[in-house]
Amino acid sequence: MSDETDELPEGVETRRRTRWSGLVGLTLARWRQRATGTTAGRIASTVGAVALTIAFLLVVTGIALALADGGATSRDDADVRITPTEGSTLSSVDGVEGPRLGATNERAGTIRSHDGVEHASPVLVETARLESTDGDPRTVRLVGVVPDGESRTVAGLPTDRLEPGDSHYANGSYDGPRNGEIVLSRTAADRLDASGGDELAVSRGPMQSNETAVTVTVAAVGDGGGGGGGKGSEGGAPIALVHASELQSLSGAADGQLADRVLVWGNSDAAQSAATDAYPDASVEIAGTADPTALFEDGLAFATSVIALIVGVTICASFVATTMGMTVDEDRRTLAVLESIGVPTRGRLAVVAISTGITTFVGSLVGIVFGAGGIVGVNAIASATIAPGAVAQFHPLFVPYAIAVALLSGLVAVPYPLAVAARTSVLSEVGR
């Protein structure tokens, strides 16, 4: 008795797997035949609608990712970037300011000593007020770097306009001579009505301060064009480069040698290895890549991505529901034939659901190609008009993301074609 009970479920299970394998194979064969046969236009339109929706979603998400990955102050030509991660870094004002890397000047020097590394520099970003002798004070984003005399770019500005080295650091004592130099972006220079050789008083913070201001001399104005966002400009951002240790002393970041990130130039593999050795718990990124988690840290970018996702799923599901419903309606005779040869209702509905899933999956693959091409096109247009660098980024995680969104849209849309299929019967088709 016990043996018979054990054998029966196994046989049922085998028949069930065989039946489902047959349904999947039948659906794939029918989908391929319809995609290349008389209903090719309808299948192509459904795939195209899914592809365009996915492409739109990827382009918007790519732009949001680029924005979240950093603004004008993050534009540089470094090969490797070291950025802090939560719990493994220091912050000058915990809970108010973002996390920062510690001992950056010292560790940047260690990184520079590695073979294959050309240069490494801590980068500190602070807001300050600059005031010329005959002008109103203006708020400017100061970016502290350690220049080395080579032609490099940080925050979209050339670092070689500053004196090489960082004499004020003085091996961590911060009592060395100040260079007192500053390189202004075109927008900052226009706002301050300053040019090369002018002296500017610096005070930290957006509010007026009565403290004695540090004076700096304009070494150069960025060659990036006008503040109207010409080619190569900072997109209208008032930014200025200064020596890192002087900004650290001004902002209070000298205690702990804090910086927002460390940039490394040189061979990518060597720079990455040296960066990982110096900061084993920090995030080390090779240039050209982006951290997708940055989307969750930027409220506006995250909201934009969520809105694009909702719009994308809604539009995609609407197209899929409509076109697949029409396709199933035209295919009622085939469903009646399946019923007449003994395929149960659940099996016929499975054929419709699998067919919808195949359509959305193929659409997602085409959409990924279109989306990647769209991001390249957006960057090309932006580079030729208003931005010095990429304004949208593609990440490998976009591939599973796009497929998941397409399949979710298909899942939302599938009840309608299933309802059309459920109303189909042999008797109703005989009567047509």
Side-chain angles (χ1 to χ4, degrees), residues 16-354:
R16 182 177 300 170
R17 285 200 298 268
T18 302
R19 184 168 61 249
W20 278 102
S21 298
L23 288 173
V24 172
L26 172 65
T27 306
L28 288 171
R30 288 187 66 248
W31 191 91
R32 185 173 61 253
Q33 182 182 18
R34 292 164 59 197
T36 57
T38 55
T39 58
R42 193 174 300 281
I43 296 294
S45 64
T46 307
V47 170
V50 175
L52 291 177
T53 306
I54 294 299
F56 164 79
L57 175 65
L58 293 187
V59 170
V60 173
T61 305
I63 294 174
L65 178 59
L67 291 174
D69 201 40
T73 59
S74 69
R75 296 169 186 165
D76 55 64
D77 58 357
D79 297 291
V80 169
R81 301 181 185 92
I82 308 172
T83 54
T85 56
E86 295 289 345
S88 60
T89 53
L90 300 173
S91 176
S92 55
V93 185
D94 190 24
V96 178
E97 296 181 342
R100 285 176 166 170
L101 298 169
T104 54
N105 303 65
E106 179 183 345
R107 297 191 190 187
T110 302
I111 294 173
R112 285 194 289 269
S113 65
H114 279 66
D115 292 337
V117 175
E118 298 175 3
H119 184 55
S121 169
V123 175
L124 175 65
V125 181
E126 291 283 354
T127 300
R129 290 174 68 86
L130 302 183
E131 182 178 2
S132 61
T133 55
D134 54 354
D136 296 328
R138 300 292 183 180
T139 300
V140 175
R141 293 285 279 175
L142 295 182
V143 180
V145 299
V146 178
D148 65 340
E150 298 294 328
S151 177
R152 310 190 191 284
T153 300
V154 175
L157 294 172
T159 63
D160 57 357
R161 306 303 174 86
L162 298 173
E163 283 293 322
D166 198 10
S167 56
H168 182 61
Y169 173 64
N171 294 322
S173 63
Y174 287 91
D175 59 0
R178 294 176 179 269
N179 294 99
E181 296 176 325
I182 189 169
V183 176
L184 298 174
S185 69
R186 182 68 62 185
T187 299
D190 290 344
R191 292 187 180 185
L192 291 162
D193 192 22
S195 57
D198 288 352
E199 290 192 347
L200 303 172
V202 185
S203 58
R204 190 190 175 204
M207 303 302 293
Q208 183 68 44
S209 173
N210 294 325
E211 297 179 0
T212 303
V214 175
T215 300
V216 294
T217 302
V218 179
V221 176
D223 297 328
K231 181 179 180 180
S233 75
E234 314 315 313
I239 301 173
L241 292 183
V242 295
H243 284 84
S245 63
E246 296 176 27
L247 183 58
Q248 287 173 322
S249 293
L250 180 68
S251 63
D255 186 12
Q257 302 179 24
L258 302 179
D260 295 278
R261 60 186 182 276
V262 174
L263 302 180
V264 186
W265 288 265
N267 178 272
S268 296
D269 293 336
Q272 185 179 24
S273 176
T276 303
D277 290 343
Y279 287 99
D281 298 324
S283 174
V284 177
E285 300 175 5
I286 297 177
T289 62
D291 183 5
T293 60
L295 280 175
F296 300 97
E297 299 171 359
D298 188 300
L300 179 59
F302 180 70
T304 302
S305 301
V306 171
I307 293 173
L309 173 63
I310 295 173
V311 172
V313 170
T314 303
I315 295 177
C316 188
S318 300
F319 272 111
V320 172
T322 303
T323 55
M324 290 305 296
M326 296 171 66
T327 302
V328 172
D329 187 62
E330 291 180 350
D331 203 33
R332 286 188 173 192
R333 183 168 298 176
T334 302
L335 294 176
V337 171
L338 292 177
E339 181 183 4
S340 66
I341 63 176
V343 177
T345 302
R346 187 169 57 181
R348 300 196 303 276
L349 295 182
V351 170
V352 174
I354 295 171

